[in-house]
Amino acid sequence: MKPSAPPQTYRVKSFGCQMNVYDGERMAELLAEQGIAPAPEGEEADLVILNTCHIREKAAEKVYSDIGRLVKAGEEAGKAPLIAVAGCVAQAEGEEIMARAPAVSIVVGPQAYHRLPEMLDKAQQGERATDTDMPAIAKFDALPQRKKRGPSAFLTVQEGCDKFCTYCVVPYTRGAEISRPFSHLVDEAHKLVEAGAKEITLLGQNVNAWRGEDAKGRRAGLGGLIRTLAGIDGLERIRYTTSHPNDMDEDLIAAHGEVAKLMPYLHLPVQAGNDRILKAMNRQHTADSYLKLIEKFRAARPDIALSGDFIVGFPGETEAEFADTLSIVDEVRYAACFSFKYSPRPGTPAATMDGQIAPEIMDERLQRLQSRIAHHQMAFNAASVGKTCTVLVERKGKHPGQWLGKSPWLQSVWFEGDYQIGDMIEVELAEAGPNSLRGIVRQTVTV
Ligand code: SAH
Ligand code: SF4
Ligand code: F3S
């Protein structure tokens, strides 16, 4: 590679889960501290970071098409951008990327972002740099302070996964479960609120596995952290995602009934409704134990909205076993769900299991599942009509005078009037569609 001038502008493109989005924001802040500016809309950047996701094959392959596009755009403009690949594909396939894509200068895994500045120096001298170490020191502590502005902010509290579901790459790409320290999280939450956040979503691959010690040295779980964060003036809403059924504890469940700022929403993936499949997936819970947990949440907070993740066509899944997934969807009546066709991932146990399912069967099952999910989502939205709730104004809608925000149950709500981003308004939900509701504003609660 030829030596290059220091980049003046950057663009970070994040794929995958919210933790990747959070990491992308932190990398952007780090680059800003190096004096590199975000590239103006519509202009090519000198440095492009592809913050990739490895969860399914389609997501992982995207990185190569994106690199191709960047190289082509660089040739047309007569100036090749510096390309860095970050995120979970970088972790899983760092060497392969370097071999397959000579245009890539930097490969940086999700636990090594704080080393980006040194890697950039190397790249400018014409050397290629790879760092996919998972050092014991937490990257977050080495990253600059938060500067994010906006009414709704992410805060990663936990990373990594020790569960080893047989289909999943996350334990390999993100490493073992670690919890960020209580005091760091409280500090960061204060900074986010000072910068304008009204809502904070606590993030983790298994967010409810977060454990720490509170200010008095007592052991705390996520419920305890949430109770402390609820004491921050100016913070109006707390959410968390993604939880694992086996990491739930009574205190977190009780918090849903006791902490007014904790929103009535729970994303709790079950993946499948059949116990043989759950066992083959190494989920370590049954359909029944999952349903009992849901009952507890509903007892603590009767209006709680539930969402889940599902995989269809896991190796060996029969039609009858798939029907159990449809049954659990009907039983829980989810407000929203994510559903995926099983994608064999290199190095995971399920990829070499017998009974891989044909793509057309997966397509057909996914369609049936999604139509059940859509039915319940519409029913949940329809049942909300007539309720009055608080909406956090997040952005302008497509039409003049139209605004968009979220209900406590994470539904998109649109309404008309003269507002500012970050306003909390009281809205009557007047009309339901499959993906959003129309609201009639009753009053502005806080500005
Ligand atoms: N830690 C979370 C989810 C992380 S990945 C949990 O356990 O619930 C997000 C979702 O991607 C998973 O819930 C699962 O539904 C899906 N997923 C993961 N690996 C997959 C694979 N190999 N094929 C298809 N979907 C997958
Ligand atoms: Fe993947 Fe399972 Fe860990 Fe979730 S709990 S990240 S699905 S291994
Ligand atoms: Fe994807 Fe990595 Fe998140 S694989 S879903 S970006 S943890």
Side-chain angles (χ1 to χ4, degrees):
M1 288 218 149
K2 278 189 283 180
S4 55
Q8 304 293 315
T9 58
Y10 72 84
R11 176 161 296 124
V12 181
K13 213 172 151 191
S14 290
F15 307 90
C17 60
Q18 288 146 322
M19 253 149 315
N20 247 20
V21 175
Y22 175 87
D23 284 344
E25 287 170 3
R26 301 294 307 254
M27 282 190 272
E29 287 162 1
L30 183 63
L31 297 173
E33 205 173 61
Q34 307 290 307
I36 311 175
E41 199 68 44
E43 274 182 34
E44 302 294 333
D46 299 339
L47 165 66
V48 179
I49 298 189
L50 301 174
N51 192 18
T52 58
C53 173
H54 199 241
I55 202 84
R56 284 168 289 274
E57 193 181 351
K58 254 199 196 139
E61 278 302 313
K62 233 186 179 122
V63 62
Y64 294 105
S65 52
D66 262 38
I67 293 167
R69 206 169 312 136
L70 286 169
V71 170
K72 200 160 164 249
E75 280 166 2
E76 278 163 15
K79 187 167 150 274
L82 211 59
I83 302 174
V85 180
C88 290
V89 183
Q91 189 65 39
E93 297 178 1
E95 278 177 29
E96 194 188 329
I97 295 169
M98 282 300 196
R100 240 176 104 175
V104 171
S105 299
I106 292 173
V107 165
V108 57
Q111 306 305 342
Y113 296 146
H114 51 291
R115 301 204 183 123
L116 257 176
E118 306 153 37
M119 299 175 85
L120 270 175
D121 284 346
K122 249 179 136 179
Q124 281 159 47
Q125 286 154 27
E127 285 175 56
R128 301 176 91 193
T130 301
D131 194 337
T132 49
D133 284 355
M134 295 201 181
I137 74 131
K139 65 180 170 193
F140 300 114
D141 301 337
L143 289 170
Q145 289 292 350
R146 303 307 320 271
K147 291 184 202 80
K148 167 127 173 53
R149 282 170 203 285
S152 184
F154 288 145
L155 172 51
T156 294
V157 305
Q158 183 279 346
E159 274 214 289
C161 181
D162 300 337
K163 308 286 190 290
F164 291 93
C165 299
T166 53
Y167 51 82
C168 184
V169 292
V170 172
Y172 311 99
T173 61
R174 294 272 164 168
E177 289 178 5
I178 59 132
S179 295
R180 294 181 63 197
F182 180 90
S183 62
H184 297 199
L185 298 172
V186 176
D187 279 357
E188 191 168 326
H190 273 286
K191 300 240 158 62
L192 289 169
V193 172
E194 279 160 26
K198 297 266 172 71
E199 172 177 274
I200 293 183
T201 303
L202 308 177
L203 300 179
Q205 265 92 18
N206 293 287
V207 69
N208 57 337
W210 182 87
R211 295 289 178 272
E213 268 184 15
D214 68 12
K216 294 190 175 130
R218 294 172 302 201
R219 286 198 56 71
L222 191 68
L225 179 64
I226 287 170
R227 287 169 201 272
T228 302
L229 297 182
I232 299 178
D233 280 343
L235 179 61
E236 307 289 344
R237 292 176 153 193
I238 302 171
R239 302 181 183 277
Y240 61 95
T241 196
T242 297
S243 296
H244 192 283
N246 295 356
D247 288 322
M248 279 302 174
D249 64 22
E250 296 297 330
D251 185 53
L252 183 56
I253 299 172
H256 275 277
E258 294 163 7
V259 180
K261 291 182 182 179
L262 180 57
M263 292 295 102
Y265 187 94
L266 174 67
H267 181 60
L268 192 64
V270 63
Q271 313 297 354
N274 175 272
D275 286 347
R276 191 191 73 83
I277 295 294
L278 288 171
K279 191 149 196 264
M281 288 177 161
N282 191 32
R283 287 292 294 182
Q284 312 260 7
H285 59 75
T286 61
D288 197 48
S289 67
Y290 175 86
L291 290 170
K292 291 218 163 75
L293 195 54
I294 297 278
E295 265 172 44
K296 286 185 174 182
F297 275 94
R298 284 195 161 135
R301 181 78 204 224
D303 68 336
I304 197 162
L306 295 157
S307 78
D309 289 350
F310 290 92
I311 296 176
V312 302
F314 186 81
E317 185 187 67
T318 64
E319 172 57 32
E321 287 165 341
F322 168 66
D324 288 341
T325 294
L326 297 177
S327 304
I328 205 166
V329 168
D330 287 341
E331 200 141 343
V332 176
R333 293 169 280 114
Y334 291 95
C337 278
F338 300 93
S339 50
F340 311 100
K341 286 184 273 187
Y342 167 72
S343 169
R345 307 305 296 126
T348 59
T352 50
M353 281 180 187
D354 291 339
Q356 302 285 325
I357 305 289
E360 23 336 327
I361 295 181
M362 286 211 238
D363 285 337
E364 189 262 341
R365 288 185 187 165
L366 187 67
Q367 240 178 41
R368 276 155 70 201
L369 174 60
Q370 290 187 337
S371 100
R372 290 315 294 159
I373 290 170
H375 166 82
H376 291 292
Q377 183 167 324
M378 185 63 227
F380 185 87
N381 287 348
S384 307
V385 171
K387 284 187 186 176
T388 297
C389 65
T390 308
V391 166
L392 172 60
V393 182
E394 290 184 11
R395 57 191 170 90
K396 281 189 176 161
K398 268 193 225 135
H399 307 291
Q402 194 185 61
W403 293 87
L404 291 167
K406 294 270 162 52
S407 77
W409 307 280
L410 208 63
Q411 297 148 300
S412 286
V413 180
W414 65 270
F415 43 89
E416 281 164 354
D418 186 14
Y419 302 101
Q420 280 176 32
I421 289 171
D423 283 352
M424 300 282 296
I425 57 173
E426 205 174 281
V427 157
E428 185 188 320
L429 300 174
E431 204 182 319
N435 299 312
S436 66
L437 290 111
R438 182 170 67 85
I440 299 169
V441 181
R442 294 297 177 214
Q443 61 171 311
T444 302
V445 181
T446 56
V447 176

